[in-house]
PDB file of all heavy atoms in Angstrom:
ATOM      1  N   SER A  28     -41.102  53.080 -17.903  1.00  0.00           N
ATOM      2  CA  SER A  28     -40.810  52.079 -16.875  1.00  0.00           C
ATOM      3  C   SER A  28     -41.266  50.713 -17.367  1.00  0.00           C
ATOM      4  O   SER A  28     -40.813  49.683 -16.894  1.00  0.00           O
ATOM      5  CB  SER A  28     -41.556  52.431 -15.587  1.00  0.00           C
ATOM      6  OG  SER A  28     -42.954  52.314 -15.803  1.00  0.00           O
ATOM      7  N   LEU A  54     -32.762  48.397 -14.584  1.00  0.00           N
ATOM      8  CA  LEU A  54     -32.357  48.512 -13.178  1.00  0.00           C
ATOM      9  C   LEU A  54     -31.788  47.203 -12.626  1.00  0.00           C
ATOM     10  O   LEU A  54     -31.302  47.157 -11.520  1.00  0.00           O
ATOM     11  CB  LEU A  54     -33.556  48.921 -12.319  1.00  0.00           C
ATOM     12  CG  LEU A  54     -34.137  50.318 -12.551  1.00  0.00           C
ATOM     13  CD1 LEU A  54     -35.485  50.463 -11.847  1.00  0.00           C
ATOM     14  CD2 LEU A  54     -33.187  51.396 -12.060  1.00  0.00           C
ATOM     15  N   LEU A  56     -33.620  44.402 -11.911  1.00  0.00           N
ATOM     16  CA  LEU A  56     -34.514  43.870 -10.880  1.00  0.00           C
ATOM     17  C   LEU A  56     -35.026  42.496 -11.329  1.00  0.00           C
ATOM     18  O   LEU A  56     -36.231  42.234 -11.380  1.00  0.00           O
ATOM     19  CB  LEU A  56     -35.681  44.834 -10.638  1.00  0.00           C
ATOM     20  CG  LEU A  56     -35.353  46.067  -9.787  1.00  0.00           C
ATOM     21  CD1 LEU A  56     -36.434  47.119  -9.910  1.00  0.00           C
ATOM     22  CD2 LEU A  56     -35.161  45.696  -8.322  1.00  0.00           C
ATOM     23  N   TRP A  59     -38.441  40.793 -13.379  1.00  0.00           N
ATOM     24  CA  TRP A  59     -39.325  41.955 -13.531  1.00  0.00           C
ATOM     25  C   TRP A  59     -38.761  42.910 -14.584  1.00  0.00           C
ATOM     26  O   TRP A  59     -39.472  43.368 -15.475  1.00  0.00           O
ATOM     27  CB  TRP A  59     -39.456  42.647 -12.160  1.00  0.00           C
ATOM     28  CG  TRP A  59     -40.544  43.672 -12.072  1.00  0.00           C
ATOM     29  CD1 TRP A  59     -41.875  43.435 -11.894  1.00  0.00           C
ATOM     30  CD2 TRP A  59     -40.374  45.085 -12.129  1.00  0.00           C
ATOM     31  NE1 TRP A  59     -42.547  44.623 -11.842  1.00  0.00           N
ATOM     32  CE2 TRP A  59     -41.661  45.652 -11.974  1.00  0.00           C
ATOM     33  CE3 TRP A  59     -39.291  45.933 -12.285  1.00  0.00           C
ATOM     34  CZ2 TRP A  59     -41.869  47.020 -11.988  1.00  0.00           C
ATOM     35  CZ3 TRP A  59     -39.499  47.291 -12.293  1.00  0.00           C
ATOM     36  CH2 TRP A  59     -40.778  47.824 -12.152  1.00  0.00           C
ATOM     37  N   ILE A  91     -29.533  47.962  -9.171  1.00  0.00           N
ATOM     38  CA  ILE A  91     -30.150  48.827  -8.152  1.00  0.00           C
ATOM     39  C   ILE A  91     -30.248  48.150  -6.775  1.00  0.00           C
ATOM     40  O   ILE A  91     -30.145  48.816  -5.737  1.00  0.00           O
ATOM     41  CB  ILE A  91     -31.541  49.353  -8.618  1.00  0.00           C
ATOM     42  CG1 ILE A  91     -31.930  50.605  -7.839  1.00  0.00           C
ATOM     43  CG2 ILE A  91     -32.628  48.301  -8.511  1.00  0.00           C
ATOM     44  CD1 ILE A  91     -31.092  51.802  -8.081  1.00  0.00           C
ATOM     45  N   LYS A  95     -28.959  49.922  -3.440  1.00  0.00           N
ATOM     46  CA  LYS A  95     -29.867  50.176  -2.315  1.00  0.00           C
ATOM     47  C   LYS A  95     -29.353  49.530  -1.032  1.00  0.00           C
ATOM     48  O   LYS A  95     -29.429  50.120   0.051  1.00  0.00           O
ATOM     49  CB  LYS A  95     -31.278  49.642  -2.647  1.00  0.00           C
ATOM     50  CG  LYS A  95     -32.036  50.551  -3.616  1.00  0.00           C
ATOM     51  CD  LYS A  95     -33.403  50.009  -3.942  1.00  0.00           C
ATOM     52  CE  LYS A  95     -34.370  50.206  -2.785  1.00  0.00           C
ATOM     53  NZ  LYS A  95     -35.756  49.988  -3.151  1.00  0.00           N
ATOM     54  N   GLY A 106     -36.373  52.495   1.434  1.00  0.00           N
ATOM     55  CA  GLY A 106     -37.447  52.925   0.534  1.00  0.00           C
ATOM     56  C   GLY A 106     -36.934  53.209  -0.861  1.00  0.00           C
ATOM     57  O   GLY A 106     -35.926  52.661  -1.302  1.00  0.00           O
ATOM     58  N   CYS A 107     -37.640  54.116  -1.539  1.00  0.00           N
ATOM     59  CA  CYS A 107     -37.346  54.360  -2.949  1.00  0.00           C
ATOM     60  C   CYS A 107     -36.468  55.586  -3.188  1.00  0.00           C
ATOM     61  O   CYS A 107     -36.229  55.948  -4.340  1.00  0.00           O
ATOM     62  CB  CYS A 107     -38.662  54.525  -3.712  1.00  0.00           C
ATOM     63  SG  CYS A 107     -39.565  52.983  -3.842  1.00  0.00           S
ATOM     64  N   SER A 108     -36.009  56.239  -2.122  1.00  0.00           N
ATOM     65  CA  SER A 108     -35.305  57.508  -2.334  1.00  0.00           C
ATOM     66  C   SER A 108     -34.003  57.329  -3.128  1.00  0.00           C
ATOM     67  O   SER A 108     -33.701  58.116  -4.021  1.00  0.00           O
ATOM     68  CB  SER A 108     -35.026  58.196  -0.997  1.00  0.00           C
ATOM     69  OG  SER A 108     -34.200  57.381  -0.201  1.00  0.00           O
ATOM     70  N   VAL A 109     -33.234  56.272  -2.820  1.00  0.00           N
ATOM     71  CA  VAL A 109     -31.965  56.049  -3.516  1.00  0.00           C
ATOM     72  C   VAL A 109     -32.228  55.765  -5.001  1.00  0.00           C
ATOM     73  O   VAL A 109     -31.640  56.383  -5.892  1.00  0.00           O
ATOM     74  CB  VAL A 109     -31.192  54.872  -2.871  1.00  0.00           C
ATOM     75  CG1 VAL A 109     -29.979  54.491  -3.703  1.00  0.00           C
ATOM     76  CG2 VAL A 109     -30.787  55.234  -1.456  1.00  0.00           C
ATOM     77  N   CYS A 110     -33.145  54.851  -5.248  1.00  0.00           N
ATOM     78  CA  CYS A 110     -33.482  54.487  -6.627  1.00  0.00           C
ATOM     79  C   CYS A 110     -34.014  55.708  -7.381  1.00  0.00           C
ATOM     80  O   CYS A 110     -33.644  55.959  -8.530  1.00  0.00           O
ATOM     81  CB  CYS A 110     -34.512  53.373  -6.615  1.00  0.00           C
ATOM     82  SG  CYS A 110     -34.964  52.768  -8.223  1.00  0.00           S
ATOM     83  N   GLY A 111     -34.871  56.478  -6.716  1.00  0.00           N
ATOM     84  CA  GLY A 111     -35.449  57.667  -7.354  1.00  0.00           C
ATOM     85  C   GLY A 111     -34.374  58.669  -7.749  1.00  0.00           C
ATOM     86  O   GLY A 111     -34.411  59.223  -8.845  1.00  0.00           O
ATOM     87  N   THR A 112     -33.407  58.900  -6.858  1.00  0.00           N
ATOM     88  CA  THR A 112     -32.334  59.863  -7.140  1.00  0.00           C
ATOM     89  C   THR A 112     -31.487  59.382  -8.318  1.00  0.00           C
ATOM     90  O   THR A 112     -31.173  60.142  -9.242  1.00  0.00           O
ATOM     91  CB  THR A 112     -31.427  60.032  -5.894  1.00  0.00           C
ATOM     92  OG1 THR A 112     -32.240  60.482  -4.817  1.00  0.00           O
ATOM     93  CG2 THR A 112     -30.309  61.021  -6.139  1.00  0.00           C
ATOM     94  N   LYS A 114     -32.336  57.269 -10.675  1.00  0.00           N
ATOM     95  CA  LYS A 114     -33.112  57.294 -11.926  1.00  0.00           C
ATOM     96  C   LYS A 114     -33.212  58.711 -12.484  1.00  0.00           C
ATOM     97  O   LYS A 114     -33.029  58.929 -13.680  1.00  0.00           O
ATOM     98  CB  LYS A 114     -34.521  56.734 -11.684  1.00  0.00           C
ATOM     99  CG  LYS A 114     -34.532  55.224 -11.572  1.00  0.00           C
ATOM    100  CD  LYS A 114     -35.913  54.628 -11.739  1.00  0.00           C
ATOM    101  CE  LYS A 114     -36.912  55.157 -10.763  1.00  0.00           C
ATOM    102  NZ  LYS A 114     -38.181  54.463 -10.775  1.00  0.00           N
ATOM    103  N   ARG A 207     -46.702  45.866  -9.481  1.00  0.00           N
ATOM    104  CA  ARG A 207     -45.797  46.932  -9.032  1.00  0.00           C
ATOM    105  C   ARG A 207     -44.389  46.378  -8.877  1.00  0.00           C
ATOM    106  O   ARG A 207     -44.179  45.171  -8.766  1.00  0.00           O
ATOM    107  CB  ARG A 207     -46.281  47.492  -7.699  1.00  0.00           C
ATOM    108  CG  ARG A 207     -47.585  48.270  -7.839  1.00  0.00           C
ATOM    109  CD  ARG A 207     -47.856  49.096  -6.608  1.00  0.00           C
ATOM    110  NE  ARG A 207     -49.202  49.658  -6.641  1.00  0.00           N
ATOM    111  CZ  ARG A 207     -49.544  50.742  -7.329  1.00  0.00           C
ATOM    112  NH1 ARG A 207     -48.650  51.380  -8.046  1.00  0.00           N
ATOM    113  NH2 ARG A 207     -50.792  51.192  -7.307  1.00  0.00           N
ATOM    114  N   CYS A 208     -43.429  47.286  -8.817  1.00  0.00           N
ATOM    115  CA  CYS A 208     -42.021  46.931  -8.635  1.00  0.00           C
ATOM    116  C   CYS A 208     -41.860  46.059  -7.381  1.00  0.00           C
ATOM    117  O   CYS A 208     -42.427  46.364  -6.332  1.00  0.00           O
ATOM    118  CB  CYS A 208     -41.229  48.224  -8.499  1.00  0.00           C
ATOM    119  SG  CYS A 208     -39.582  48.002  -7.849  1.00  0.00           S
ATOM    120  N   PRO A 209     -41.073  44.973  -7.489  1.00  0.00           N
ATOM    121  CA  PRO A 209     -40.918  44.080  -6.320  1.00  0.00           C
ATOM    122  C   PRO A 209     -40.251  44.771  -5.127  1.00  0.00           C
ATOM    123  O   PRO A 209     -40.323  44.270  -4.003  1.00  0.00           O
ATOM    124  CB  PRO A 209     -40.032  42.951  -6.857  1.00  0.00           C
ATOM    125  CG  PRO A 209     -39.400  43.484  -8.100  1.00  0.00           C
ATOM    126  CD  PRO A 209     -40.332  44.501  -8.662  1.00  0.00           C
ATOM    127  N   CYS A 210     -39.583  45.911  -5.374  1.00  0.00           N
ATOM    128  CA  CYS A 210     -38.912  46.616  -4.261  1.00  0.00           C
ATOM    129  C   CYS A 210     -39.812  47.655  -3.616  1.00  0.00           C
ATOM    130  O   CYS A 210     -39.405  48.316  -2.654  1.00  0.00           O
ATOM    131  CB  CYS A 210     -37.660  47.330  -4.769  1.00  0.00           C
ATOM    132  SG  CYS A 210     -36.353  46.194  -5.151  1.00  0.00           S
ATOM    133  N   ALA A 211     -41.000  47.851  -4.159  1.00  0.00           N
ATOM    134  CA  ALA A 211     -41.871  48.919  -3.639  1.00  0.00           C
ATOM    135  C   ALA A 211     -42.680  48.431  -2.442  1.00  0.00           C
ATOM    136  O   ALA A 211     -43.883  48.190  -2.531  1.00  0.00           O
ATOM    137  CB  ALA A 211     -42.807  49.416  -4.743  1.00  0.00           C
ATOM    138  N   PHE A 212     -42.015  48.236  -1.337  1.00  0.00           N
ATOM    139  CA  PHE A 212     -42.740  47.869  -0.116  1.00  0.00           C
ATOM    140  C   PHE A 212     -42.079  48.572   1.074  1.00  0.00           C
ATOM    141  O   PHE A 212     -40.913  48.966   1.006  1.00  0.00           O
ATOM    142  CB  PHE A 212     -42.752  46.350   0.095  1.00  0.00           C
ATOM    143  CG  PHE A 212     -41.386  45.743   0.144  1.00  0.00           C
ATOM    144  CD1 PHE A 212     -40.672  45.689   1.322  1.00  0.00           C
ATOM    145  CD2 PHE A 212     -40.799  45.239  -1.018  1.00  0.00           C
ATOM    146  CE1 PHE A 212     -39.407  45.136   1.368  1.00  0.00           C
ATOM    147  CE2 PHE A 212     -39.518  44.692  -0.992  1.00  0.00           C
ATOM    148  CZ  PHE A 212     -38.813  44.641   0.205  1.00  0.00           C
ATOM    149  N   THR A 214     -42.462  51.477   2.197  1.00  0.00           N
ATOM    150  CA  THR A 214     -42.063  52.875   2.009  1.00  0.00           C
ATOM    151  C   THR A 214     -43.195  53.795   2.463  1.00  0.00           C
ATOM    152  O   THR A 214     -44.360  53.386   2.551  1.00  0.00           O
ATOM    153  CB  THR A 214     -41.761  53.181   0.523  1.00  0.00           C
ATOM    154  OG1 THR A 214     -42.983  53.065  -0.204  1.00  0.00           O
ATOM    155  CG2 THR A 214     -40.740  52.220  -0.053  1.00  0.00           C
ATOM    156  N   ARG A 216     -44.454  56.154   0.799  1.00  0.00           N
ATOM    157  CA  ARG A 216     -45.410  56.328  -0.290  1.00  0.00           C
ATOM    158  C   ARG A 216     -46.429  55.188  -0.314  1.00  0.00           C
ATOM    159  O   ARG A 216     -47.619  55.407  -0.494  1.00  0.00           O
ATOM    160  CB  ARG A 216     -44.676  56.410  -1.633  1.00  0.00           C
ATOM    161  CG  ARG A 216     -45.628  56.529  -2.822  1.00  0.00           C
ATOM    162  CD  ARG A 216     -44.900  56.738  -4.114  1.00  0.00           C
ATOM    163  NE  ARG A 216     -44.264  58.040  -4.203  1.00  0.00           N
ATOM    164  CZ  ARG A 216     -44.893  59.154  -4.547  1.00  0.00           C
ATOM    165  NH1 ARG A 216     -46.177  59.139  -4.828  1.00  0.00           N
ATOM    166  NH2 ARG A 216     -44.250  60.288  -4.617  1.00  0.00           N
ATOM    167  N   VAL A 217     -45.948  53.973  -0.130  1.00  0.00           N
ATOM    168  CA  VAL A 217     -46.854  52.816  -0.140  1.00  0.00           C
ATOM    169  C   VAL A 217     -47.867  52.943   1.000  1.00  0.00           C
ATOM    170  O   VAL A 217     -49.068  52.718   0.807  1.00  0.00           O
ATOM    171  CB  VAL A 217     -46.041  51.495  -0.036  1.00  0.00           C
ATOM    172  CG1 VAL A 217     -46.963  50.308   0.179  1.00  0.00           C
ATOM    173  CG2 VAL A 217     -45.208  51.296  -1.294  1.00  0.00           C
ATOM    174  N   ARG A 220     -50.320  55.621   0.119  1.00  0.00           N
ATOM    175  CA  ARG A 220     -51.269  55.153  -0.898  1.00  0.00           C
ATOM    176  C   ARG A 220     -52.364  54.313  -0.239  1.00  0.00           C
ATOM    177  O   ARG A 220     -53.556  54.483  -0.527  1.00  0.00           O
ATOM    178  CB  ARG A 220     -50.527  54.337  -1.957  1.00  0.00           C
ATOM    179  CG  ARG A 220     -51.438  53.941  -3.120  1.00  0.00           C
ATOM    180  CD  ARG A 220     -50.762  53.001  -4.085  1.00  0.00           C
ATOM    181  NE  ARG A 220     -49.634  53.608  -4.748  1.00  0.00           N
ATOM    182  CZ  ARG A 220     -48.443  53.022  -4.882  1.00  0.00           C
ATOM    183  NH1 ARG A 220     -48.230  51.832  -4.401  1.00  0.00           N
ATOM    184  NH2 ARG A 220     -47.478  53.638  -5.516  1.00  0.00           N
TER     185      ARG A 220
HETATM  186  S1  SF4 B   1     -40.721  51.407  -6.886  1.00  0.00           S
HETATM  187 FE1  SF4 B   1     -38.926  52.239  -5.837  1.00  0.00          FE
HETATM  188  S2  SF4 B   1     -37.366  50.664  -6.091  1.00  0.00           S
HETATM  189 FE2  SF4 B   1     -38.957  50.197  -7.582  1.00  0.00          FE
HETATM  190  S3  SF4 B   1     -38.287  51.199  -9.460  1.00  0.00           S
HETATM  191 FE3  SF4 B   1     -39.624  52.645  -8.381  1.00  0.00          FE
HETATM  192  S4  SF4 B   1     -38.245  53.929  -7.160  1.00  0.00           S
HETATM  193 FE4  SF4 B   1     -37.099  52.097  -7.790  1.00  0.00          FE
END
Side-chain angles (χ1 to χ4, degrees):
S28 66
L54 294 168
L56 282 165
W59 192 80
I91 201 66
K95 284 179 75 167
C107 290
S108 61
V109 171
C110 183
T112 301
K114 284 197 303 189
R207 291 194 190 280
C208 165
C210 288
F212 57 86
T214 66
R216 177 175 291 278
V217 171
R220 186 187 296 133

